[in-house]
Amino acid sequence: MKELEDFKLRENPFQHITPIPGRGGIDTPWAGHKVLKENIEGIYKRLFNNPPRQIVLNWGPYGGGKTFAAYKFLEKRRERIDLHQTYVRSPKQGNSADKELYKSLIGFISYKKIKRQIQKLINELGEDGAFDFISNKIRSEEIAEAILRIGSQDEAISKLMKRYVFEGLTRTELKEVDLPKNIDWGTDSIEFLSGIIHCFIGDQEKIKGRFVLWIDEMEDMIYYSQKEYRAFSQVLRDLFDSINQHFLVLLNFTLAEPEEDTIELLLGAALWSRINKKIRFKELSNDEALEYCSDLISHYHTENGLSSYMPFSEDIINGIIRIIPSNSLTPREINRYCGEVLNFAMENDHKKITLNTVNECLEKIRENE
């Protein structure tokens, strides 16, 4: 059996059909899609240079690269500016969407990071200053008090507050932390999330933060009832409206249809009107697919100076691309086909990838279908 080294490769460039958190990333290059990358980079640049909130809709077919874009940009960091990024998937159950969103956001950020950020805010502004800052932003002194309790240096209070955030406390425990009640789903949970995000954004004098929220797989709203998707749209609108500066929201929506009508219906007119920019992740053209393959393969070469398609050739890649229907020509489908051909060549001791290699591989795939 041949090894990847025999084909001058460090790894199989096409091994990931879908992005892998923590990897989707560091060694996986941004291949092709240059205009899309420039568009998203421009959005991040505006986040750093201009205060107003941005809501961006990324939409297109399955496998078009939306989730990969999220993972790739989650790695971005900027010196002198605190950039805080979160990634959540759209809730699967419409009847508990507000709870799922709350728990997913808090879970991704992590209680430990939230506690550290609140302590930082208190250290910079003082306890009274931090309280005034949070309560002025969310218009709720009660929720502001609860958020400040998370930053307590008292270990017993800190443990109770962790349970308060995730599960809620008993009446006796609420008295111990001097809070009147637990977080109610709906208004309370939105105010709480907003207050936490404001802690990361800061006052822009002593703490100059930026906050990015990616919400992926929003097409799952299609499975909500009309009442449920309207309610969830209201939750999102309330959250976004409560943070109007230094905040970037990117909504990933998979839709095979060429029109945006379905997305507009699910998000509702009010939320739809708040979207600042729409980015279409389209199926690739033949030339774009070639560029994608060239960028991806050459990144994993073990030597410099090799043909950018090695161990394939441009003709072979072109042949594989022509097999894929034009309405399915996405990075995911290219990875699927090219990855299968490369694995087949290694498993069957082919010295190089030829048209015969491709044909034999396809024949085997058809036999197993």
Side-chain angles (χ1 to χ4, degrees):
M1 178 174 172
K2 296 292 184 183
E3 301 293 336
L4 283 167
E5 291 79 4
D6 297 318
F7 291 100
K8 310 295 185 184
L9 294 170
R10 293 183 287 112
E11 293 184 33
N12 182 343
F14 305 103
Q15 62 187 313
H16 299 306
I17 303 300
T18 55
I20 298 176
R23 267 223 53 164
I26 294 173
D27 191 44
T28 304
W30 185 288
H33 283 312
K34 287 184 171 56
V35 174
L36 284 176
K37 184 180 181 184
E38 289 170 1
N39 282 336
I40 300 176
E41 285 176 339
I43 289 163
Y44 270 75
K45 187 175 181 179
R46 283 194 289 278
L47 172 67
F48 302 133
N49 297 331
N50 301 302
R53 176 200 66 210
Q54 298 177 80
I55 302 176
V56 178
L57 172 67
N58 300 321
W59 70 288
Y62 286 102
K66 300 178 296 298
T67 299
F68 175 80
Y71 286 146
K72 194 66 179 174
F73 275 87
L74 282 169
E75 298 168 9
K76 294 181 75 70
R77 294 291 183 270
R78 286 292 183 273
E79 294 180 3
R80 299 184 304 278
I81 294 179
D82 291 325
L83 175 62
H84 306 281
Q85 301 202 79
T86 54
Y87 169 89
V88 296
R89 293 184 173 92
S90 184
K92 303 302 178 186
Q93 302 297 325
N95 59 3
S96 58
D98 53 349
K99 296 179 184 179
E100 283 192 54
L101 179 69
Y102 170 87
K103 291 181 178 179
S104 294
L105 263 172
I106 296 294
F108 188 95
I109 300 171
S110 88
Y111 181 81
K112 186 178 291 186
K113 287 182 182 178
I114 291 170
K115 179 179 178 179
R116 284 202 303 262
Q117 189 65 25
I118 293 169
Q119 289 174 339
K120 180 180 179 180
L121 190 73
I122 293 171
N123 290 338
E124 293 291 347
L125 305 183
E127 191 159 339
D128 288 342
F131 172 80
D132 290 341
F133 169 75
I134 298 170
S135 60
N136 287 337
K137 291 294 183 182
I138 63 175
R139 307 293 181 184
S140 171
E141 293 189 355
E142 184 181 287
I143 299 295
E145 287 281 9
I147 290 171
L148 287 183
R149 293 283 191 284
I150 296 172
S152 174
Q153 300 290 348
D154 185 306
E155 191 62 30
I157 291 177
S158 182
K159 286 182 178 179
L160 285 173
M161 288 308 299
K162 186 173 184 178
R163 286 189 40 236
Y164 171 88
V165 169
F166 288 104
E167 304 167 20
L169 300 177
T170 65
R171 289 184 181 180
T172 301
E173 289 169 333
L174 285 169
K175 289 180 180 178
E176 290 180 40
V177 294
D178 195 23
L179 292 174
K181 66 183 183 68
N182 287 306
I183 300 169
D184 292 330
W185 302 115
T187 303
D188 280 3
S189 60
I190 293 302
E191 288 177 346
F192 189 84
L193 285 175
S194 175
I196 294 298
I197 292 172
H198 275 296
C199 288
F200 283 93
I201 292 172
D203 64 339
Q204 298 302 303
E205 292 183 10
K206 294 184 177 180
I207 296 177
K208 299 180 179 181
R210 302 290 187 274
F211 200 93
V212 179
L213 168 59
W214 287 83
I215 306 182
D216 204 2
E217 300 178 3
M218 291 203 66
E219 65 277 3
D220 285 342
M221 291 176 70
I222 291 171
Y223 303 109
Y224 296 4
S225 68
Q226 185 181 77
K227 180 180 179 181
E228 289 167 350
Y229 69 66
R230 285 181 175 175
F232 185 54
S233 174
Q234 181 68 50
V235 165
L236 293 177
R237 193 182 82 182
D238 289 347
L239 176 62
F240 300 162
D241 282 356
S242 67
I243 311 162
N244 58 17
Q245 290 191 325
H246 312 295
F247 184 41
L248 168 60
V249 181
L250 299 109
L251 309 174
N252 283 355
F253 210 117
T254 295
L255 189 71
E257 302 167 16
E259 303 298 331
E260 304 167 351
D261 296 354
T262 301
I263 304 174
E264 183 177 0
L265 175 65
L266 292 172
L267 294 182
L271 183 52
W272 183 257
S273 68
R274 286 161 170 76
I275 293 174
N276 305 99
K277 188 175 181 65
K278 301 164 191 170
I279 299 178
R280 178 80 187 275
F281 284 67
K282 297 180 180 179
E283 295 84 358
L284 301 174
S285 68
N286 191 84
D287 287 344
E288 289 169 337
L290 282 172
E291 180 185 44
Y292 170 79
C293 293
S294 174
D295 290 349
L296 195 57
I297 295 169
S298 58
H299 178 78
Y300 291 100
H301 280 158
T302 57
E303 300 175 12
N304 295 324
L306 297 173
S307 163
S308 60
Y309 296 103
M310 173 73 184
F312 300 82
S313 67
E314 184 173 347
D315 286 343
I316 294 298
I317 291 292
N318 247 323
I320 296 173
I321 290 170
R322 283 195 293 269
I323 294 167
I324 304 171
S326 59
N327 61 355
S328 300
L329 192 53
T330 62
R332 181 178 298 174
E333 287 304 295
I334 292 171
N335 286 8
R336 191 189 310 278
Y337 277 84
C338 290
E340 284 289 343
V341 170
L342 180 55
N343 286 330
F344 180 86
M346 288 191 294
E347 291 166 2
N348 292 275
D349 287 324
H350 288 215
K351 293 181 180 179
K352 61 180 182 178
I353 297 174
T354 65
L355 184 58
N356 284 336
T357 307
V358 176
N359 289 335
E360 288 177 30
C361 177
L362 290 175
E363 186 176 341
K364 184 176 180 181
I365 291 173
R366 293 189 193 103
E367 288 175 356
N368 293 331
E369 286 179 346

